[in-house]
Amino acid sequence: MTRNDWTRAEIAELFDLPFTELVFRAADVHRHHHAAGEVQLCTLLSIKTGGCPEDCGYCSQSAHADTGLKAEKLMDADAVIAAAREAKAHGSQRFCMGAAWREPKDRDMPALLEMVSEVKAMGLETCMTLGMLTGDQAQALKGAGLDYYNHNIDTSPEHYGDIITTRTFQERLDTLEEVRKVGMAVCCGGIVGMGETREDRVGFIHALATLPRHPESVPVNALVPVKGTLLGDIWGDERPIDDIEFVRTVAVARITMPKSMVRLSAGRESMSESTQALCFLAGANSIFTGDRLLTTPNAGDNADAALFAKLGLKPLVAEEPMRVAAE
């Protein structure tokens, strides 16, 4: 049963379960709604890198960070389309395009709409993350064929102000509402390991699991500390969350949002094969492929193929449950 009335106390009880019991329950929920042993392959491309006016403490693309990253202009649509074609050839089902903006300008919309329509014509699912959207922009992207819009809440409402000050938590929810109004699917998750407490991780999952409709896609990222960012300078090479707690977060996301695609996202390149295997057992069924995630390293196609072979996993061919229900 899908619920949108989870309480924080209920979610905290899930986090507190013995680890093996929690993973068992999550695996059971997963098998009731998703194809066991199938993992969705997605590719993420930075179509506009650096120079973002937001001060997100984890992000190397923030103009407030001192990472040496050079701000670039929006990529040419032909280059984006070529990258999408390559991604499809490597087995990706969804192509995600990210721009380091607070929000897109109207002058950028024609190029963005061309990218969406051309990538969609290849038979790929399309996803974009462009910052905040107006209702008209959301409608235009939907009309061009955009399947998903990514807009993460990042962390709990209580911890949010320690990470970002240039955009409020409510503004993120407002953009999600604009996306929902036009009938687009939502990709929304966040980052763990940003110095938050267990209570914050409870609040993060609670905020997602009590949305009027669960996100069709829930990316769970582990912080990749980048020198020159606020959090990178705080944590350095230290891992701010242990692997078992990360798997717990994935498992609770799966139980509370049973039909969502739960994506094992940033930070995967530093996880052991065993940790990734536990995440898949706990209900993660989507990953980003390739060598880069925007500006941070990723595991790479060869490493993923070897891991899939070792674990007996295969790329997703089944339908996504929430997308089927919406059709």
Side-chain angles (χ1 to χ4, degrees):
M1 180 179 69
T2 299
R3 294 176 50 192
N4 302 80
D5 62 349
W6 290 93
T7 67
R8 288 198 178 207
E10 288 175 314
I11 294 172
E13 288 175 3
L14 290 175
F15 268 101
D16 289 341
L17 284 171
F19 180 74
T20 52
E21 175 65 19
L22 174 60
V23 173
F24 174 81
R25 291 192 191 184
D28 187 52
V29 169
H30 182 78
R31 280 157 179 73
H32 273 88
H33 298 284
H34 301 269
E38 292 189 6
V39 176
Q40 184 186 53
L41 303 182
C42 310
T43 297
L44 174 61
L45 176 69
S46 179
I47 62 172
K48 193 280 172 188
T49 302
C52 181
E54 304 280 21
D55 68 353
C56 306
Y58 51 80
C59 187
S60 63
Q61 302 197 67
S62 169
H64 299 261
D66 184 19
T67 62
L69 185 70
K70 182 181 178 182
E72 299 176 359
K73 294 181 179 180
L74 181 66
M75 286 178 64
D76 181 76
D78 288 341
V80 173
I81 293 162
R85 192 174 293 113
E86 182 179 357
K88 183 177 182 181
H90 282 88
S92 281
Q93 183 185 59
R94 184 185 302 174
F95 190 70
C96 308
M97 296 159 272
W101 285 326
R102 177 177 171 80
E103 69 276 312
K105 302 292 189 296
D106 287 342
R107 66 174 180 267
D108 299 311
M109 291 303 293
L112 296 173
L113 299 179
E114 180 183 359
M115 293 174 194
V116 171
S117 62
E118 291 292 335
V119 173
K120 180 70 172 177
M122 293 180 200
L124 288 164
E125 284 186 352
T126 54
C127 179
M128 277 188 162
T129 178
L130 311 168
M132 297 185 292
L133 288 183
T134 66
D136 288 344
Q137 289 171 335
Q139 186 63 64
L141 290 166
K142 169 68 174 178
L146 190 63
D147 297 303
Y148 278 84
Y149 193 75
N150 167 259
H151 201 61
N152 290 337
I153 60 169
D154 287 341
T155 187
S156 70
E158 295 78 12
H159 189 55
Y160 183 89
D162 294 333
I163 307 300
I164 303 153
T165 67
T166 51
R167 188 192 321 180
T168 67
F169 193 87
Q170 183 58 49
E171 284 177 308
R172 292 182 181 266
L173 298 181
D174 291 344
T175 288
L176 295 179
E177 185 176 353
E178 295 295 346
V179 171
R180 284 295 190 205
K181 283 180 181 177
V182 301
M184 257 193 295
V186 163
C187 175
C188 184
I191 307 170
V192 294
M194 297 195 294
E196 78 282 351
T197 63
R198 166 74 72 80
E199 185 178 352
D200 286 316
R201 288 187 281 279
V202 169
F204 162 60
I205 296 294
H206 178 262
L208 293 171
T210 56
L211 288 170
R213 177 177 169 88
H214 292 162
E216 283 81 356
S217 178
V218 180
V220 181
N221 300 272
L223 176 69
V224 179
V226 178
K227 185 177 180 180
T229 63
L230 173 67
L231 296 178
D233 290 344
I234 290 173
W235 293 105
D237 294 330
E238 183 180 351
R239 284 185 63 83
I241 185 171
D242 67 60
D243 290 344
I244 295 299
E245 186 70 9
F246 185 85
V247 178
R248 282 185 181 275
T249 307
V250 170
V252 175
R254 168 52 65 220
I255 292 170
T256 56
M257 294 171 279
K259 294 184 179 180
S260 300
M261 304 296 292
V262 176
R263 181 177 302 127
L264 188 56
S265 298
R268 191 166 62 87
E269 82 291 341
S270 62
M271 295 178 190
S272 68
E273 290 184 339
S274 298
T275 297
Q276 293 182 68
L278 282 171
C279 288
F280 294 134
L281 180 61
N285 62 339
S286 179
I287 62 169
F288 281 122
T289 62
D291 300 320
R292 305 287 294 174
L293 287 184
L294 297 178
T295 62
T296 57
N298 196 39
D301 294 336
N302 291 338
D304 288 338
L307 178 62
F308 273 40
K310 184 177 291 188
L311 299 179
L313 299 174
K314 62 181 181 179
L316 179 73
V317 295
E319 295 291 335
E320 300 168 38
M322 289 189 72
R323 296 292 301 281
V324 172
E327 291 175 354

